[in-house]
Amino acid sequence: MRTTQMDFWSSEFGSNYTDRNIYSTNDLDKDYKETYGYSRTEMNKNFLLNLPIYNVLEVGCNVGNILRSVQSIDLENLYGIELQPYAVEKSKELCRNINIIQGSGFDIPFKDYYFDLVYTSGVLIHIAPEDLNKIFDEMYRVSKRYIWGFEYYSESYSEIQYRGESGKMWKADFAKLFLERYPSLKLVRETKYPYLVEGNIDQMYLLEKV
């Protein structure tokens, strides 16, 4: 499967995005603290600490910024799948003991129920509404127990401009959309993080198969 969004993020525009968004774990924490009043490490601990998680997959991991943040709270057996070849190559310079492969979230090359936790961070917002269920289905398929997400939030599904581009970014209640599609999921935890300066809100959620 190939979409307009996939071509967009595989282009030079995507490579430039990658170069602008490489963070150490400390720099990422500082950026989150300035944006939300909480560091990414604090968010990770609030949602993941003490969960029975053996292995983890991030869908759309770019260079592994969030995977390295997750690694810093002592989670192991970390995997990522990333569409953009340039980002995968850059990740090799930045990540240690994290397995990042090039591929699509629409066709995740792992067996059913392979990972205890599958997550996205700022990825579902770039999936066109007509394609969203395809990536949901793949994430659900490879998750044994948990689905975790951090995405732009809106009560209603709506498109937003991204650097002057149309058809490239949306915001929604992604936790609700997951729950509507899969009755076997339950909401374990949800926190909405308003921006300290702008009027935007991001949503972090943890879902569990029951």
Side-chain angles (χ1 to χ4, degrees), residues 120-133:
T120 62
S121 185
V123 167
L124 299 181
I125 60 173
H126 295 297
I127 306 298
E130 63 269 23
D131 299 323
L132 192 64
N133 284 339

Side-chain angles (χ1 to χ4, degrees), residues 140-189:
Y140 184 88
R141 178 184 66 80
V142 298
S143 170
K144 184 189 303 181
R145 187 163 183 179
Y146 297 108
I147 293 173
W148 181 41
F150 187 58
E151 304 284 350
Y152 291 174
Y153 172 79
S154 175
E155 290 185 5
S156 59
Y157 214 131
S158 55
E159 182 179 349
I160 51 180
Q161 291 285 308
Y162 181 65
R163 290 182 170 257
E165 297 278 349
S166 298
K168 302 299 186 297
M169 183 178 285
W170 295 262
K171 56 182 178 179
D173 186 341
F174 291 101
K176 181 181 178 182
L177 295 175
F178 261 117
L179 292 166
E180 288 175 348
R181 186 160 181 82
Y182 308 104
S184 60
L185 289 177
K186 71 173 183 179
L187 182 65
V188 177
R189 182 166 188 170

Side-chain angles (χ1 to χ4, degrees), residues 15-161:
S15 299
N16 291 337
Y17 169 89
T18 292
D19 284 334
R20 290 194 309 270
N21 289 277
I22 296 174
Y23 294 92
S24 69
T25 297
N26 286 339
D27 286 341
L28 189 70
D29 278 344
K30 180 181 178 182
D31 182 72
Y32 270 63
K33 195 88 172 178
E34 291 173 351
T35 303
Y36 309 101
Y38 299 89
S39 71
R40 180 67 197 220
T41 298
E42 289 173 314
M43 294 178 183
N44 295 345
K45 288 180 178 179
N46 288 339
F47 275 77
L48 303 182
L49 211 59
N50 300 319
L51 290 182
I53 298 170
Y54 171 74
N55 58 3
V56 174
L57 172 69
E58 180 178 2
V59 178
C61 65
N62 201 258
V63 296
N65 291 332
I66 305 301
L67 281 165
R68 284 180 281 116
S69 178
V70 167
Q71 188 179 49
S72 75
I73 64 168
D74 297 327
L75 289 181
E76 300 178 336
N77 301 310
L78 304 178
Y79 294 75
I81 184 168
E82 168 56 38
L83 177 69
Q84 187 194 119
Y86 177 74
V88 174
E89 286 303 310
K90 292 294 289 185
S91 75
K92 295 175 182 178
E93 303 171 12
L94 300 165
C95 298
R96 297 292 179 269
N97 301 315
I98 297 174
N99 185 8
I100 295 177
I101 61 172
Q102 195 275 324
S104 168
F106 296 126
D107 186 19
I108 299 174
F110 291 97
K111 296 185 293 186
D112 296 358
Y113 320 119
Y114 190 81
F115 294 99
D116 293 317
L117 175 75
V118 179
Y119 76 92
T120 62
S121 185
V123 167
L124 299 181
I125 60 173
H126 295 297
I127 306 298
E130 63 269 23
D131 299 323
L132 192 64
N133 284 339
K134 296 181 180 69
I135 198 166
F136 276 7
D137 289 347
E138 278 294 271
M139 293 178 65
Y140 184 88
R141 178 184 66 80
V142 298
S143 170
K144 184 189 303 181
R145 187 163 183 179
Y146 297 108
I147 293 173
W148 181 41
F150 187 58
E151 304 284 350
Y152 291 174
Y153 172 79
S154 175
E155 290 185 5
S156 59
Y157 214 131
S158 55
E159 182 179 349
I160 51 180
Q161 291 285 308

